[in-house]
């Protein structure tokens, strides 16, 4: 989205086509899986605080639901496009399949900038979104969740609108709800922690001790903050973190050569993941340009912001020291950059494996909603760790066994599982 000429849907399709070819999938199956099954495009009129009506554009796209109800977040972003949502819905199908949870893939988006909307306007937008979709989402067909710039607060407004329309309590309609209102403990941490559970396993397999490593992270929102916390707990040292600055309308990198203090940085970060520049300078952080995160001499890079951030233009800036890239964001690496990374022998943990912790915990949330019985945080996180570790090990073993790159091994496992479901239902 940061680069208007980039189309993530084409990247998602190219990744699928490559593995479909390797697996020798028939034409009908390819045709079915290389595009979404269903799409909803609609307008959402909102009466703004100044009395005028503004019309927003909304999307909900269901890529595939052969393995279970479609599942995926709703993003709020001024540059959201149908193709971004299509790509993300497709990645959700592979994500749920690679961790083997009984869900399909979907995604939603609203073209908006919540940073400049009042609370009331945001609530109206959330309710308006659900009014357009109330018959097409639900616990048994498509289950939304938060994503970029959307949060538990938004999810509860959406659920409330859905329940008002349908006249009942259906907590499993939306996940990522606040704890105490049907939300699961551990959901806020799940994606970021999950990234580090698989990174920990990768380090084990590569014979590297986490306490001997350093990292640079792009983004400092929900995913990055918890990834940073868990990585620090393992003993790793974070040298640099970048984020978007909405005043200057550009990203900056915050660097501390002897390691950043994650809690300190969180305390000067707003709800949208932007670090306060002035306060950071006072605390001794060097302020570098937004791209600087990628060229640090570190062992691990964690892109955790948006798609298409490692491209043919900046991939050559990656330091020789980098051994692992853990893709916490969805689709952070362009196809061209991916090839360079592979040729350089950098171990890459692909997005839909690395960041599957969020949807896995969302699945736990639904399970708890269905039972109306809630687990404690340790139980949630230990279940999450088991699933992420098992998924990583299957992908790693396949990649070694068949001499595949990690991304292709993850795709192979995910696509084979989805194809089995599609074929056994007689869809292809
Ligand atoms: P968020 O909105 O909480 O944070 C996004 C962060 O990226 C912010 O710190 C923002 O300042 C930063 N950012 C934006 N543009 C930037 C740029 N050009 N350079 C540097 N930083 C920039 O979002 P999030 O929930 O943390 O999601 C981050 C990524 O992880 C997205 O790709 C999202 O789709 C993916 N993801 C999120 C979840 C989840 O549970 N939240 C689950 C799976 C995948």
């Amino acid at each position: 989205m940061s680069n208007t000429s980039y189309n993530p849907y084409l990247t998602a399709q190219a990744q699928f086509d490559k593995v479909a070819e390797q697996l020798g999938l028939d034409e009908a199956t390819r045709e079915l899986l290389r595009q979404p099954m269903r799409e909803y495009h609609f307008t959402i009129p909102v009466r703004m605080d100044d009395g005028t009506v503004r019309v927003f554009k909304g999307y909900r796209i269901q890529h595939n639901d052969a393995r279970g109800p479609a599942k995926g977040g709703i993003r709020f972003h001024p540059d959201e496009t149908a193709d971004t949502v299509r790509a993300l819905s497709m990645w959700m199908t592979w994500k749920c399949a690679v961790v083997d949870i009984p869900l399909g893939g979907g995604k939603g988006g609203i073209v908006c900038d919540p940073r400049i909307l009042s609370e009331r306007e945001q609530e109206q937008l959330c309710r308006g979104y659900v009014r357009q979709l109330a018959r097409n989402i639900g616990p048994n067909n498509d289950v939304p969740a938060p994503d970029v710039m959307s949060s538990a607060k938004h999810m509860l407004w959406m659920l409330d609108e859905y329940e008002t329309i349908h006249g009942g309590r259906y907590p499993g309609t939306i996940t990522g709800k606040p704890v105490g209102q049907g939300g699961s403990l551990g959901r806020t941490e799940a994606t970021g922690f999950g990234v580090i559970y698989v990174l920990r396993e990768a380090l084990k397999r590569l014979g590297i001790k986490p306490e001997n490593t350093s990292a640079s992270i792009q983004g400092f929102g929900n995913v990055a903050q918890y990834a940073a916390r868990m990585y620090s707990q393992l003993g790793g040292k974070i040298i640099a973190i970048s984020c978007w600055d909405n005043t200057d309308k550009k990203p900056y990198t915050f660097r501390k050569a002897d390691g950043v203090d994650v809690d300190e940085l969180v305390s000067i970060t707003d709800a949208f993941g932007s670090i306060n520049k002035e306060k950071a300078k006072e605390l001794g952080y060097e302020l570098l340009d937004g791209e600087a995160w990628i060229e640090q001499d570190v062992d691990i890079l964690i892109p955790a912001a948006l798609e298409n951030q490692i491209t043919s233009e900046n991939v050559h800036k990656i330091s020789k020291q980098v051994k692992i890239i853990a893709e916490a964001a969805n689709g952070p690496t362009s196809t061209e950059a991916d090839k360079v990374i592979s040729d350089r022998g950098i171990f890459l943990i692909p997005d839909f494996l690395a960041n599957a912790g969020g949807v896995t915990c969302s699945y736990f949330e639904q399970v708890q909603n269905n039972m109306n019985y809630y687990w404690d945080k340790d139980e949630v996180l230990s279940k999450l760790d088991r699933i992420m570790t098992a998924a990583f090990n299957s992908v790693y073993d396949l990649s070694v066994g068949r001499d595949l790159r990690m991304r292709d091994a993850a795709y192979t496992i995910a696509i084979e599982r989805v194809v089995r479901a599609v074929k056994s239902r007689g869809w292809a």
Side-chain angles (χ1 to χ4, degrees):
M1 290 198 296
S2 52
N3 173 352
T4 45
S5 63
Y6 164 76
N7 186 335
Y9 187 38
L10 299 180
T11 303
Q13 288 187 318
Q15 290 170 351
F16 169 74
D17 289 343
K18 182 179 167 198
V19 179
E21 187 65 32
Q22 284 166 3
L23 293 175
L25 293 189
D26 58 84
E27 261 323 299
T29 308
R30 284 188 206 201
E31 174 108 20
L32 188 68
L33 294 180
R34 72 189 306 281
Q35 61 185 326
M37 297 177 73
R38 270 172 241 108
E39 300 198 357
Y40 305 99
H41 298 205
F42 44 90
T43 48
I44 313 168
V46 171
R47 185 160 305 275
M48 307 298 281
D49 290 348
D50 65 5
T52 61
V53 172
R54 225 181 111 190
V55 178
F56 293 86
K57 182 89 194 145
Y59 302 101
R60 185 73 193 171
I61 297 186
Q62 297 160 358
H63 172 255
N64 190 279
D65 58 8
R67 285 173 44 87
K71 183 87 194 81
I74 299 170
R75 311 199 334 161
F76 293 170
H77 201 283
D79 301 335
E80 197 66 276
T81 66
D83 274 349
T84 309
V85 184
R86 287 185 182 111
L88 290 160
S89 72
M90 200 161 166
W91 283 322
M92 283 308 297
T93 302
W94 315 136
K95 195 178 296 190
C96 293
V98 83
V99 287
D100 209 5
I101 55 176
L103 294 168
K107 202 83 186 184
I110 305 181
V111 185
C112 71
D113 189 345
R115 293 168 293 203
I116 52 169
L117 297 177
S118 71
E119 286 278 298
R120 196 199 63 82
E121 290 165 346
Q122 290 180 45
E123 179 176 348
Q124 291 311 308
L125 189 56
C126 289
R127 291 185 184 277
Y129 183 83
V130 169
R131 278 201 294 278
Q132 299 292 8
L133 272 178
R135 278 153 213 85
N136 311 111
I137 56 170
N140 298 319
N141 51 347
D142 182 3
V143 184
D147 202 277
V148 172
M149 288 205 274
S150 59
S151 66
K153 175 181 75 178
H154 300 115
M155 296 306 113
L156 200 59
W157 285 327
M158 289 187 180
L159 179 67
D160 188 66
E161 190 66 25
Y162 181 89
E163 292 184 334
T164 304
I165 291 168
H166 289 280
R169 288 284 171 261
Y170 306 99
T173 302
I174 287 179
T175 60
K177 300 178 290 295
V179 171
Q181 304 257 28
S184 175
L185 288 166
R187 175 61 187 89
T188 314
E189 297 88 341
T191 309
F193 279 12
V195 171
I196 306 304
Y197 295 152
V198 294
L199 173 64
R200 179 196 64 205
E201 295 307 305
L203 289 166
K204 249 187 235 167
R205 297 291 194 125
L206 300 175
I208 303 170
K209 288 197 165 58
E211 59 271 27
N212 294 338
T213 64
S214 56
S216 174
I217 302 179
Q218 186 194 36
F220 204 51
N222 169 260
V223 177
Q225 290 182 17
Y226 286 99
R229 280 210 169 102
M230 181 55 80
Y231 174 69
S232 301
Q233 272 177 36
L234 293 182
K237 185 161 83 170
I238 301 162
I239 304 292
I241 291 182
S242 77
C243 68
W244 184 256
D245 185 89
N246 214 35
T247 314
D248 296 352
K249 304 279 177 226
K250 61 180 196 150
Y252 287 102
T253 299
F254 298 80
R255 185 174 186 279
K256 220 176 213 182
D258 53 357
V260 312
D261 177 332
V262 179
D263 287 333
E264 180 184 79
L265 266 190
V266 170
S267 74
I268 57 164
T269 301
D270 71 14
F272 298 105
S274 294
I275 300 169
N276 184 306
K277 294 193 297 287
E278 303 316 319
K279 290 186 183 157
K281 274 194 261 180
E282 280 166 25
L283 291 168
Y285 288 86
E286 266 178 86
L287 205 57
L288 308 173
D289 75 58
E291 280 269 304
W293 76 278
I294 205 173
E295 54 194 52
Q296 300 300 310
D297 289 326
V298 289
D299 306 294
I300 299 159
L301 291 179
I302 307 181
L306 291 172
E307 59 276 2
N308 198 37
Q309 297 301 307
I310 308 180
T311 64
S312 51
E313 272 119 66
N314 63 13
V315 67
H316 61 275
K317 294 185 184 164
I318 295 178
S319 157
K320 287 196 175 57
Q321 195 184 320
V322 172
K323 297 171 191 72
I324 299 179
I325 297 177
E327 291 186 327
N330 287 312
T333 311
S334 75
T335 310
E336 303 76 42
D338 200 31
K339 186 169 180 325
V340 175
I341 288 166
S342 166
D343 292 346
R344 278 183 54 179
I346 298 174
F347 186 90
L348 183 139
I349 311 175
D351 48 5
F352 66 89
L353 170 63
N355 67 31
V359 74
T360 303
C361 196
S362 279
Y363 165 60
F364 294 159
E365 183 174 329
Q366 269 199 306
V367 172
Q368 294 170 83
N369 291 155
N370 291 341
M371 297 187 297
N372 205 9
Y373 173 77
Y374 291 83
W375 305 329
D376 64 29
K377 195 188 258 186
D378 284 350
E379 184 163 2
V380 172
L381 293 178
S382 66
K383 282 185 163 72
L384 178 67
D385 195 347
R386 268 206 303 282
I387 288 189
M388 294 301 290
T389 300
F392 176 87
N393 286 331
S394 319
V395 172
Y396 183 84
D397 291 342
L398 187 75
S399 90
V400 172
R402 288 207 213 155
D403 194 21
L404 293 172
R405 305 169 49 216
M406 283 289 284
R407 194 188 304 283
D408 293 344
Y411 262 111
T412 301
I413 289 176
I415 291 174
E416 281 181 345
R417 284 183 181 149
V418 176
V419 167
R420 261 200 302 279
V422 159
K423 289 208 170 281
S424 56
R425 283 174 180 272
W427 291 357

